[in-house]
Amino acid sequence: MLPWRRLLRPLAVLSLAAAALVAPTGTAQAASAPSSGWNDWTCKPSAAHPRPVVLVHGTFGNSVDNWLGFAPYLVHRGYCVYSLDYGQLPGQSFFNGLGPIDKSAVQLGAFVDRVLASTGAAKTDIVGHSQGGMMPRQYLKFLGGASKVGALVGLAPDNHGTTLSGLTQLLPYFPGAEDLISSTTPGLADQIAGSPFVTKLNAGGDTVPGVAYTVITTKYDEVVTPYTSGFLGGSNVRNVVLQDLCALDLSEHVAIGLTDRIAWHEAANALDPAHAERTTCASVFE
């Protein structure tokens, strides 16, 4: 291969990164996101987008920081958008998503009810990042959420748990480590591949009828490993690998939720499949 050809890929990647930084949801807009219609409890869904969107942050995240880019992206497209904090531990107000996931799902259910009551909508859609893409399945499967949700979109969700690149497999070699994690940060313990929570969640099938599931993963995920553990099985599921949409996209676990406009474009397609537009590398400009 000629030397100049070898330069094309890194140059293209740099171009995409630069485009993401100067796109409409850059720093200036993100800073004013809450005042631009996000978490606006007076918002009423339009005929074009009749279901409000509930955003569910990941482990260690919160309702603001996780969505500084994606929430305004959806608001700009005419959605009523809401986000919640969940999974708080006693005495810990900064990091969320660390409490038992079954209890976090109860919090999500209460928040969905509040959104439905405020908007008058019959159903919501949910978009979650990491744990936020997996935890709602507990709500859908065991807490009656399926009748209140039209679509669940997961950005790098750990639907079948994670090995953290094999690190969790070393826990048995450190006496007391598993018990310590379970007692201090149960939300982390629940996400380990093979945990009782993950086993129960996926027993009898990954999905429930009546909900459209979309999973968007990245080959460069260093948190949900293997990245294919995010995939779901079922006739109402669409599993997407980000690099199949744009081979130049190098987003890893955090970026796919926080900055990746290509992933956001595909998530928007999942929310409005009747008007979906093909997602490509050029979607970074949209």
Side-chain angles (χ1 to χ4, degrees):
M1 182 182 290
L2 295 175
W4 67 270
R5 289 177 178 259
R6 289 199 295 266
L7 291 174
L8 287 179
R9 182 180 176 90
L11 285 175
V13 172
L14 288 174
S15 297
L16 285 174
L21 290 175
V22 300
T25 54
T27 304
Q29 184 176 5
S32 61
S35 63
S36 65
W38 170 23
N39 278 334
D40 176 4
W41 295 97
T42 67
C43 186
K44 298 300 179 183
S46 65
H49 301 302
R51 294 196 297 267
V53 179
V54 173
L55 303 179
V56 187
H57 64 74
T59 309
F60 296 111
N62 61 63
S63 61
V64 176
D65 293 349
N66 210 140
W67 305 116
L68 285 173
F70 188 54
Y73 182 92
L74 290 179
V75 169
H76 179 70
R77 284 155 178 77
Y79 288 91
C80 292
V81 182
Y82 304 87
S83 61
L84 77 156
D85 290 306
Y86 71 88
Q88 301 89 344
L89 292 176
Q92 173 56 264
S93 59
F94 189 75
F95 296 114
N96 298 325
L98 296 174
I101 295 181
D102 57 351
K103 290 183 172 56
S104 294
V106 174
Q107 292 179 278
L108 173 61
F111 190 80
V112 167
D113 286 345
R114 181 186 176 196
V115 169
L116 294 179
S118 175
T119 60
K123 290 186 176 183
T124 67
D125 288 334
I126 296 175
V127 180
H129 181 207
S130 190
Q131 181 191 160
M134 175 267 282
M135 178 269 280
R137 293 179 51 227
Q138 172 78 11
Y139 167 59
L140 298 179
K141 193 169 186 178
F142 299 114
L143 300 175
S147 65
K148 302 176 183 179
V149 176
L152 171 61
V153 182
L155 301 172
D158 50 346
N159 283 315
H160 292 89
T162 177
T163 67
L164 277 177
S165 299
L167 290 177
T168 61
Q169 297 170 1
L170 299 178
L171 289 175
Y173 297 96
F174 296 88
E178 291 180 89
D179 291 339
L180 179 62
I181 294 174
S182 296
S183 62
T184 57
T185 53
L188 293 180
D190 285 345
Q191 296 178 74
I192 296 175
S195 73
F197 175 83
V198 167
T199 300
K200 180 181 179 182
L201 179 64
N202 295 305
D206 292 345
T207 65
V208 295
V211 180
Y213 295 79
T214 301
V215 175
I216 304 173
T217 64
T218 171
K219 292 180 178 179
Y220 302 110
D221 199 320
E222 76 288 13
V223 175
V224 176
T225 58
Y227 74 91
T228 53
S229 67
F231 291 164
L232 295 172
S235 60
N236 51 344
V237 174
R238 182 166 182 260
N239 293 310
V240 180
V241 179
L242 199 53
Q243 286 71 35
D244 290 342
L245 305 176
C246 175
L248 302 177
D249 195 320
L250 302 182
S251 290
E252 39 63 70
H253 185 78
V254 174
I256 194 174
L258 269 62
T259 62
D260 195 318
R261 294 176 66 86
I262 295 171
W264 299 349
H265 188 275
E266 189 64 12
N269 279 344
L271 296 175
D272 189 7
H275 300 94
E277 298 179 355
R278 184 171 174 237
T279 301
T280 68
C281 295
S283 299
V284 74
F285 298 104
E286 297 180 14

